[in-house]
PDB file of all heavy atoms in Angstrom:
ATOM      1  N   ALA A   4      -3.315   0.675 -14.036  1.00 95.00           N
ATOM      2  CA  ALA A   4      -3.204   0.710 -12.569  1.00 95.00           C
ATOM      3  C   ALA A   4      -2.040   1.583 -12.139  1.00 95.00           C
ATOM      4  O   ALA A   4      -2.151   2.342 -11.161  1.00 95.00           O
ATOM      5  CB  ALA A   4      -3.047  -0.704 -12.028  1.00 95.00           C
ATOM      6  N   ARG A   5      -0.915   1.474 -12.838  1.00 96.00           N
ATOM      7  CA  ARG A   5       0.234   2.327 -12.505  1.00 96.00           C
ATOM      8  C   ARG A   5      -0.085   3.787 -12.770  1.00 96.00           C
ATOM      9  O   ARG A   5       0.332   4.669 -12.015  1.00 96.00           O
ATOM     10  CB  ARG A   5       1.455   1.919 -13.310  1.00 96.00           C
ATOM     11  CG  ARG A   5       2.282   0.869 -12.644  1.00 96.00           C
ATOM     12  CD  ARG A   5       3.363   0.443 -13.581  1.00 96.00           C
ATOM     13  NE  ARG A   5       4.661   0.812 -13.084  1.00 96.00           N
ATOM     14  CZ  ARG A   5       5.757   0.587 -13.753  1.00 96.00           C
ATOM     15  NH1 ARG A   5       5.710   0.032 -14.941  1.00 96.00           N
ATOM     16  NH2 ARG A   5       6.914   0.927 -13.239  1.00 96.00           N
ATOM     17  N   GLY A   6      -0.789   4.059 -13.847  1.00 95.00           N
ATOM     18  CA  GLY A   6      -1.192   5.429 -14.154  1.00 95.00           C
ATOM     19  C   GLY A   6      -2.118   5.988 -13.097  1.00 95.00           C
ATOM     20  O   GLY A   6      -2.017   7.154 -12.725  1.00 95.00           O
ATOM     21  N   LEU A   7      -3.032   5.138 -12.626  1.00 96.00           N
ATOM     22  CA  LEU A   7      -3.954   5.542 -11.566  1.00 96.00           C
ATOM     23  C   LEU A   7      -3.211   5.925 -10.290  1.00 96.00           C
ATOM     24  O   LEU A   7      -3.434   6.990  -9.713  1.00 96.00           O
ATOM     25  CB  LEU A   7      -4.955   4.422 -11.277  1.00 96.00           C
ATOM     26  CG  LEU A   7      -5.971   4.698 -10.181  1.00 96.00           C
ATOM     27  CD1 LEU A   7      -7.137   5.471 -10.761  1.00 96.00           C
ATOM     28  CD2 LEU A   7      -6.438   3.421  -9.574  1.00 96.00           C
ATOM     29  N   VAL A   8      -2.284   5.081  -9.877  1.00 96.00           N
ATOM     30  CA  VAL A   8      -1.536   5.340  -8.644  1.00 96.00           C
ATOM     31  C   VAL A   8      -0.602   6.522  -8.800  1.00 96.00           C
ATOM     32  O   VAL A   8      -0.521   7.383  -7.923  1.00 96.00           O
ATOM     33  CB  VAL A   8      -0.776   4.066  -8.216  1.00 96.00           C
ATOM     34  CG1 VAL A   8       0.172   4.356  -7.076  1.00 96.00           C
ATOM     35  CG2 VAL A   8      -1.748   2.966  -7.843  1.00 96.00           C
ATOM     36  N   THR A   9       0.119   6.590  -9.914  1.00 96.00           N
ATOM     37  CA  THR A   9       1.056   7.686 -10.126  1.00 96.00           C
ATOM     38  C   THR A   9       0.331   9.022 -10.240  1.00 96.00           C
ATOM     39  O   THR A   9       0.722  10.000  -9.597  1.00 96.00           O
ATOM     40  CB  THR A   9       1.890   7.435 -11.392  1.00 96.00           C
ATOM     41  OG1 THR A   9       2.558   6.184 -11.266  1.00 96.00           O
ATOM     42  CG2 THR A   9       2.914   8.547 -11.602  1.00 96.00           C
ATOM     43  N   GLY A  10      -0.707   9.064 -11.041  1.00 96.00           N
ATOM     44  CA  GLY A  10      -1.483  10.298 -11.185  1.00 96.00           C
ATOM     45  C   GLY A  10      -2.120  10.715  -9.869  1.00 96.00           C
ATOM     46  O   GLY A  10      -2.131  11.904  -9.512  1.00 96.00           O
ATOM     47  N   GLY A  11      -2.636   9.748  -9.138  1.00 96.00           N
ATOM     48  CA  GLY A  11      -3.257  10.048  -7.843  1.00 96.00           C
ATOM     49  C   GLY A  11      -2.247  10.571  -6.838  1.00 96.00           C
ATOM     50  O   GLY A  11      -2.537  11.523  -6.110  1.00 96.00           O
ATOM     51  N   ALA A  12      -1.078   9.963  -6.803  1.00 96.00           N
ATOM     52  CA  ALA A  12      -0.057  10.405  -5.862  1.00 96.00           C
ATOM     53  C   ALA A  12       0.428  11.816  -6.184  1.00 96.00           C
ATOM     54  O   ALA A  12       0.573  12.657  -5.282  1.00 96.00           O
ATOM     55  CB  ALA A  12       1.121   9.440  -5.871  1.00 96.00           C
ATOM     56  N   ILE A  13       0.664  12.095  -7.445  1.00 97.00           N
ATOM     57  CA  ILE A  13       1.112  13.424  -7.834  1.00 97.00           C
ATOM     58  C   ILE A  13       0.026  14.462  -7.568  1.00 97.00           C
ATOM     59  O   ILE A  13       0.302  15.530  -7.018  1.00 97.00           O
ATOM     60  CB  ILE A  13       1.554  13.444  -9.309  1.00 97.00           C
ATOM     61  CG1 ILE A  13       2.826  12.640  -9.476  1.00 97.00           C
ATOM     62  CG2 ILE A  13       1.753  14.871  -9.818  1.00 97.00           C
ATOM     63  CD1 ILE A  13       3.239  12.411 -10.901  1.00 97.00           C
ATOM     64  N   GLY A  14      -1.199  14.153  -7.920  1.00 96.00           N
ATOM     65  CA  GLY A  14      -2.312  15.056  -7.662  1.00 96.00           C
ATOM     66  C   GLY A  14      -2.496  15.289  -6.178  1.00 96.00           C
ATOM     67  O   GLY A  14      -2.748  16.433  -5.744  1.00 96.00           O
ATOM     68  N   PHE A  15      -2.395  14.242  -5.374  1.00 96.00           N
ATOM     69  CA  PHE A  15      -2.512  14.393  -3.934  1.00 96.00           C
ATOM     70  C   PHE A  15      -1.449  15.303  -3.372  1.00 96.00           C
ATOM     71  O   PHE A  15      -1.735  16.211  -2.594  1.00 96.00           O
ATOM     72  CB  PHE A  15      -2.428  13.010  -3.251  1.00 96.00           C
ATOM     73  CG  PHE A  15      -2.326  13.108  -1.757  1.00 96.00           C
ATOM     74  CD1 PHE A  15      -3.474  13.340  -0.995  1.00 96.00           C
ATOM     75  CD2 PHE A  15      -1.115  12.976  -1.120  1.00 96.00           C
ATOM     76  CE1 PHE A  15      -3.381  13.424   0.382  1.00 96.00           C
ATOM     77  CE2 PHE A  15      -1.025  13.069   0.260  1.00 96.00           C
ATOM     78  CZ  PHE A  15      -2.157  13.292   1.013  1.00 96.00           C
ATOM     79  N   LEU A  16      -0.203  15.096  -3.763  1.00 96.00           N
ATOM     80  CA  LEU A  16       0.885  15.917  -3.229  1.00 96.00           C
ATOM     81  C   LEU A  16       0.769  17.375  -3.645  1.00 96.00           C
ATOM     82  O   LEU A  16       1.005  18.278  -2.839  1.00 96.00           O
ATOM     83  CB  LEU A  16       2.230  15.342  -3.667  1.00 96.00           C
ATOM     84  CG  LEU A  16       2.597  13.994  -3.044  1.00 96.00           C
ATOM     85  CD1 LEU A  16       3.880  13.453  -3.666  1.00 96.00           C
ATOM     86  CD2 LEU A  16       2.735  14.123  -1.528  1.00 96.00           C
ATOM     87  N   VAL A  17       0.403  17.609  -4.881  1.00 96.00           N
ATOM     88  CA  VAL A  17       0.261  18.996  -5.345  1.00 96.00           C
ATOM     89  C   VAL A  17      -0.900  19.685  -4.615  1.00 96.00           C
ATOM     90  O   VAL A  17      -0.767  20.804  -4.133  1.00 96.00           O
ATOM     91  CB  VAL A  17       0.039  19.021  -6.880  1.00 96.00           C
ATOM     92  CG1 VAL A  17      -0.399  20.391  -7.344  1.00 96.00           C
ATOM     93  CG2 VAL A  17       1.305  18.600  -7.590  1.00 96.00           C
ATOM     94  N   TRP A  18      -2.035  18.999  -4.522  1.00 95.00           N
ATOM     95  CA  TRP A  18      -3.204  19.611  -3.879  1.00 95.00           C
ATOM     96  C   TRP A  18      -3.008  19.724  -2.377  1.00 95.00           C
ATOM     97  O   TRP A  18      -3.502  20.669  -1.765  1.00 95.00           O
ATOM     98  CB  TRP A  18      -4.453  18.806  -4.221  1.00 95.00           C
ATOM     99  CG  TRP A  18      -5.637  19.692  -4.360  1.00 95.00           C
ATOM    100  CD1 TRP A  18      -6.751  19.677  -3.591  1.00 95.00           C
ATOM    101  CD2 TRP A  18      -5.831  20.746  -5.296  1.00 95.00           C
ATOM    102  NE1 TRP A  18      -7.630  20.656  -3.983  1.00 95.00           N
ATOM    103  CE2 TRP A  18      -7.078  21.326  -5.040  1.00 95.00           C
ATOM    104  CE3 TRP A  18      -5.054  21.256  -6.334  1.00 95.00           C
ATOM    105  CZ2 TRP A  18      -7.578  22.382  -5.765  1.00 95.00           C
ATOM    106  CZ3 TRP A  18      -5.557  22.313  -7.064  1.00 95.00           C
ATOM    107  CH2 TRP A  18      -6.803  22.872  -6.783  1.00 95.00           C
ATOM    108  N   PHE A  19      -2.296  18.781  -1.771  1.00 95.00           N
ATOM    109  CA  PHE A  19      -1.977  18.860  -0.356  1.00 95.00           C
ATOM    110  C   PHE A  19      -1.181  20.132  -0.064  1.00 95.00           C
ATOM    111  O   PHE A  19      -1.495  20.874   0.865  1.00 95.00           O
ATOM    112  CB  PHE A  19      -1.174  17.616   0.055  1.00 95.00           C
ATOM    113  CG  PHE A  19      -0.866  17.532   1.522  1.00 95.00           C
ATOM    114  CD1 PHE A  19      -1.815  17.085   2.419  1.00 95.00           C
ATOM    115  CD2 PHE A  19       0.390  17.873   1.990  1.00 95.00           C
ATOM    116  CE1 PHE A  19      -1.522  17.008   3.761  1.00 95.00           C
ATOM    117  CE2 PHE A  19       0.687  17.786   3.332  1.00 95.00           C
ATOM    118  CZ  PHE A  19      -0.258  17.355   4.235  1.00 95.00           C
ATOM    119  N   HIS A  20      -0.186  20.369  -0.893  1.00 95.00           N
ATOM    120  CA  HIS A  20       0.640  21.577  -0.723  1.00 95.00           C
ATOM    121  C   HIS A  20      -0.193  22.836  -0.930  1.00 95.00           C
ATOM    122  O   HIS A  20      -0.113  23.788  -0.129  1.00 95.00           O
ATOM    123  CB  HIS A  20       1.798  21.545  -1.716  1.00 95.00           C
ATOM    124  CG  HIS A  20       2.549  22.825  -1.779  1.00 95.00           C
ATOM    125  ND1 HIS A  20       3.411  23.234  -0.801  1.00 95.00           N
ATOM    126  CD2 HIS A  20       2.547  23.817  -2.701  1.00 95.00           C
ATOM    127  CE1 HIS A  20       3.922  24.404  -1.115  1.00 95.00           C
ATOM    128  NE2 HIS A  20       3.413  24.787  -2.262  1.00 95.00           N
ATOM    129  N   ALA A  21      -1.006  22.852  -1.965  1.00 93.00           N
ATOM    130  CA  ALA A  21      -1.812  24.044  -2.259  1.00 93.00           C
ATOM    131  C   ALA A  21      -2.826  24.305  -1.148  1.00 93.00           C
ATOM    132  O   ALA A  21      -2.980  25.470  -0.714  1.00 93.00           O
ATOM    133  CB  ALA A  21      -2.527  23.864  -3.594  1.00 93.00           C
ATOM    134  N   ASP A  22      -3.506  23.283  -0.680  1.00 92.00           N
ATOM    135  CA  ASP A  22      -4.508  23.478   0.378  1.00 92.00           C
ATOM    136  C   ASP A  22      -3.882  23.966   1.671  1.00 92.00           C
ATOM    137  O   ASP A  22      -4.427  24.849   2.323  1.00 92.00           O
ATOM    138  CB  ASP A  22      -5.277  22.187   0.630  1.00 92.00           C
ATOM    139  CG  ASP A  22      -6.461  22.012  -0.283  1.00 92.00           C
ATOM    140  OD1 ASP A  22      -6.869  23.004  -0.910  1.00 92.00           O
ATOM    141  OD2 ASP A  22      -6.974  20.887  -0.384  1.00 92.00           O
TER     142      ASP A  22
END
Side-chain angles (χ1 to χ4, degrees):
R5 271 174 114 183
L7 179 84
V8 171
T9 303
I13 291 172
F15 171 79
L16 291 174
V17 168
W18 215 243
F19 184 80
H20 170 74
D22 274 344

